[in-house]
Amino acid sequence: MVVTLDPSSRARLTPRTKPRFVTGSLFDTLARTVCDADCLPRKEFYEAWEVARRARRRMRGGRVVELAAGHGLLAMILLILDDTSPTALCVDRKKPQSFERLLPKITAAWPRLTGRITFIEGDLHNTIVGTDDLVVSVHACGRLSDAVIDCAVAARSRLVLMPCCHDLRSCNTGGLDTWMPGPLAIDAMRAARLRQLGYETIAVTIPADITPMNRLLLASPCVANPGAGNPGH
């Protein structure tokens, strides 16, 4: 009997897990590569894959800028899915060992990515973002998600954001937490803010069996930007 893997598990993908991904599909090929790196929880692999797929359905090209990047797998998958993105920049306060272990495995499997993915240690507020960039972040905790939005809005760049760890004390609920759960109110206000600033904003989800914090915001500047002159909260 074949036992289905739990996509929400924090168990690490290891070389012993590779036989569970046997087909020649891109998903299984990528999973086997991550297994060889032996450094990522299963949950984070599935999250990055599902977010990248949804992002690339609507947003192509441009440099990928992954903020609060951690292991950087999301940026890597985005380049694999769309080779018209020339490079990817991963930014976080500290480069984790998982990035150092993952990148060589990814570039060995996809040699065309060699030299196209870099990591900068630093504060995301100091990241220089361009208008044509694609700013992405998965599970930037609490107010960090708002900082990611600020970076994208300041550059009028596209944005892919999956928030997490909503802080009801410091994040804006807009008073909607009397009608709906606080975390949902915070994300509703984030979507409303982006629309007010002239962004076309699409709210989607990834499967809830991967993570209950599965809301995903996809935002692109509209051709007409009525809110461009008012970047405040």
Side-chain angles (χ1 to χ4, degrees), residues 145 161 163-164 166 172 182-192 215 217:
S145 284
L161 174 67
C164 79
H166 302 74
N172 181 20
L184 179 57
I186 290 169
D187 288 341
M189 290 302 297
R190 287 167 172 157
R215 290 187 291 275
L217 279 173

Side-chain angles (χ1 to χ4, degrees), residues 6 15 23 48 55 58 70 76 91 97 126 147 154-155 203 220:
D6 176 6
T23 76
R58 295 178 171 89
M76 299 175 199
V91 181
Q97 290 186 351
N126 299 325
S220 300

Side-chain angles (χ1 to χ4, degrees), residues 39-180:
C39 64
L40 288 191
R42 190 187 307 160
K43 171 180 179 287
E44 295 184 18
F45 166 68
Y46 278 91
E47 285 173 348
W49 170 257
E50 295 294 343
V51 170
R53 288 176 61 228
R54 285 158 178 75
R56 283 312 194 194
R57 286 173 188 163
R58 295 178 171 89
M59 300 178 182
R60 313 287 291 185
R63 180 183 67 155
V64 173
V65 180
E66 184 175 3
L67 301 178
H71 46 67
L73 181 60
L74 175 58
M76 299 175 199
I77 299 176
L78 287 167
L79 261 61
I80 291 170
L81 292 178
D82 180 15
D83 204 39
T84 66
S85 282
T87 58
L89 173 66
C90 300
V91 181
D92 213 326
R93 289 189 176 275
K94 184 174 177 60
K95 183 193 298 183
Q97 290 186 351
S98 54
F99 177 85
E100 299 282 14
R101 296 181 65 169
L102 186 60
L103 183 60
K105 297 296 184 182
I106 293 291
T107 53
W110 287 274
R112 60 186 171 83
L113 300 188
T114 302
R116 293 169 59 186
I117 302 169
T118 57
F119 198 110
I120 292 180
E121 292 183 334
D123 191 319
L124 64 84
H125 295 89
N126 299 325
T127 306
I128 299 175
V129 177
T131 302
D132 295 330
D133 289 344
L134 175 60
V135 174
V136 301
S137 189
V138 169
H139 285 176
C141 292
R143 280 285 300 162
L144 201 56
S145 284
D146 296 300
V148 171
I149 293 174
D150 291 342
C151 287
V153 166
R156 302 301 297 173
S157 69
R158 296 166 296 164
L159 172 67
V160 175
L161 174 67
M162 190 161 74
C164 79
C165 301
H166 302 74
D167 187 342
L168 300 183
R169 295 168 299 178
S170 63
C171 296
N172 181 20
T173 66
L176 296 177
D177 52 329
T178 58
W179 285 356
M180 63 182 72

Side-chain angles (χ1 to χ4, degrees), residues 4-8 13 17-36 40-54 57 73 77 80-81 102 106 109-110 206-207 209-210:
T4 303
L5 289 176
D6 176 6
S8 68
L13 289 172
T17 323
K18 286 176 66 176
R20 308 300 295 273
F21 304 99
V22 297
T23 76
S25 68
L26 178 58
F27 175 82
D28 278 10
T29 302
L30 184 60
R32 291 193 297 270
T33 304
V34 174
C35 288
D36 283 336
L40 288 191
R42 190 187 307 160
K43 171 180 179 287
E44 295 184 18
F45 166 68
Y46 278 91
E47 285 173 348
W49 170 257
E50 295 294 343
V51 170
R53 288 176 61 228
R54 285 158 178 75
R57 286 173 188 163
L73 181 60
I77 299 176
I80 291 170
L81 292 178
L102 186 60
I106 293 291
W110 287 274
I206 71 168
D209 61 352
I210 299 174

